[in-house]
Amino acid sequence: MGQKGSSGLFRAVSAFGVVGFVRFLEGYYIVLITKRRKMADIGGHAIYKIEDTNMIYIPNDSVRITHPDEARYLRIFQNVDLSSNFYFSYSYDLSHSLQYNLTVLRMPLEMLKSETTQSRQESFDIFEDEGLITQGGSG
């Protein structure tokens, strides 16, 4: 299945990243990105498309307690095609808009620190020359 290293450990799979963990009735699985394709660059940050994934059962099979519905749950989950329209980046936050990401880059460090402690309801005016928050969010 894998390659044996000098430490006696076996390489089960090579991966480009972790999609996440999922638990069904028999235990946890790790979902790994096993194939990727570079799709774009945004400001020097590479954006990749997931081409293929692999699910690995985490506990050792010797401790596995079988459940009759496990295979059905696995089949349902594997029907989600993670290779169609799922993107990731190692260095760029794809969960925010380009406008938000550019705003964060313009913020002084002191404001970034205080923003994490303030509520998200406060607004930030990206058109301010100095990048400072004005009272009530209006100039």
Side-chain angles (χ1 to χ4, degrees):
M1 175 169 146
Q3 300 170 325
K4 184 175 181 179
S6 61
S7 64
L9 298 175
F10 287 90
R11 178 185 299 243
V13 67
S14 293
F16 294 104
V18 177
V19 175
F21 296 86
V22 64
R23 180 177 182 219
F24 300 118
L25 303 169
E26 294 179 10
Y28 287 92
Y29 296 82
I30 186 170
V31 183
L32 301 171
I33 300 167
T34 55
K35 188 176 178 187
R36 67 179 184 183
R37 181 168 31 132
K38 187 174 178 182
M39 299 299 289
D41 275 308
I42 298 178
H45 301 277
I47 309 299
Y48 297 95
K49 179 181 185 293
I50 295 175
E51 293 282 312
D52 199 15
T53 59
N54 191 5
M55 259 177 88
I56 299 174
Y57 183 68
I58 295 175
N60 191 314
D61 281 332
S62 66
V63 298
R64 190 176 211 158
I65 301 169
T66 58
H67 192 283
D69 292 329
E70 183 78 3
R72 183 170 62 95
Y73 288 136
L74 271 171
R75 238 182 354 269
I76 291 169
F77 183 80
Q78 289 172 338
N79 278 335
V80 176
D81 186 9
L82 294 174
S83 66
S84 70
N85 301 319
F86 280 88
Y87 299 87
F88 73 97
S89 175
Y90 297 111
S91 59
Y92 186 79
D93 186 357
L94 292 173
S95 67
H96 290 294
S97 67
L98 176 62
Q99 180 180 5
Y100 177 87
N101 287 339
L102 290 176
T103 301
V104 170
L105 291 175
R106 289 187 58 206
M107 281 183 163
L109 184 58
E110 303 80 43
M111 291 184 67
L112 283 172
K113 289 178 183 174
S114 67
E115 182 182 288
T116 58
T117 59
Q118 295 174 352
S119 74
R120 289 282 183 190
Q121 294 176 351
E122 294 183 25
S123 64
F124 178 73
D125 186 353
I126 65 169
F127 301 106
E128 283 293 316
D129 291 336
E130 299 300 321
L132 300 173
I133 297 177
T134 57
Q135 285 294 67
S138 60

